């Protein structure tokens, strides 16, 4: 699928340069595929490298809520500075 191709190319890019933007993109694609757990994994890695990434923050909060991780969502929400 196109999503699988995108993930493959983004991961190849990561092997060259570990960049939070690329990690975020992988998380987004996994979310589009419906693989919420992998999306969470990559979005968490994004925030480890770039705590100010509001897009990753917001998507991660939403995914935490969708997967029943409300405490994690609340913890992250409180840490977000808008």
């Amino acid at each position: 699928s196109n999503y699988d191709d995108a993930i493959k190319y983004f991961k190849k890019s990561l092997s060259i340069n570990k960049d939070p933007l690329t990690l975020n993109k992988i998380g987004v694609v996994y979310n589009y595929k419906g693989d919420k757990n992998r999306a969470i994994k990559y979005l968490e890695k994004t925030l480890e490298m770039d705590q100010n990434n509001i897009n990753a923050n917001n998507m991660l909060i939403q995914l935490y809520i969708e997967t029943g991780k409300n405490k994690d969502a609340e913890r992250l929400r409180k840490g977000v500075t808008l």
Side-chain angles (χ1 to χ4, degrees):
S1 78
N2 288 340
Y3 291 140
D4 292 328
D5 289 342
I7 289 169
K8 181 175 80 174
Y9 291 118
F10 286 139
K11 285 184 175 182
K12 187 173 183 174
S13 174
L14 272 183
S15 71
I16 297 166
N17 179 24
K18 194 162 187 178
D19 170 44
L21 183 58
T22 304
L23 287 166
N24 185 69
K25 289 178 181 179
I26 294 171
V28 169
V29 175
Y30 274 125
N31 186 41
Y32 286 156
K33 283 186 63 166
D35 191 339
K36 295 182 188 310
N37 289 324
R38 282 197 178 140
I40 287 170
K41 174 183 156 186
Y42 279 92
L43 292 167
E44 287 174 340
K45 287 181 180 183
T46 300
L47 292 178
E48 286 174 12
M49 293 181 72
D50 179 9
Q51 297 173 355
N52 297 317
N53 187 318
I54 194 71
N55 294 324
N57 247 318
N58 289 341
M59 183 173 282
L60 192 51
I61 289 169
Q62 184 63 38
L63 286 169
Y64 281 153
I65 292 168
E66 289 175 11
T67 57
K69 298 176 182 177
N70 295 330
K71 288 183 181 179
D72 289 330
E74 185 63 20
R75 173 189 50 78
L76 188 57
R77 188 191 66 75
K78 287 180 178 178
V80 174
T81 304
L82 299 177

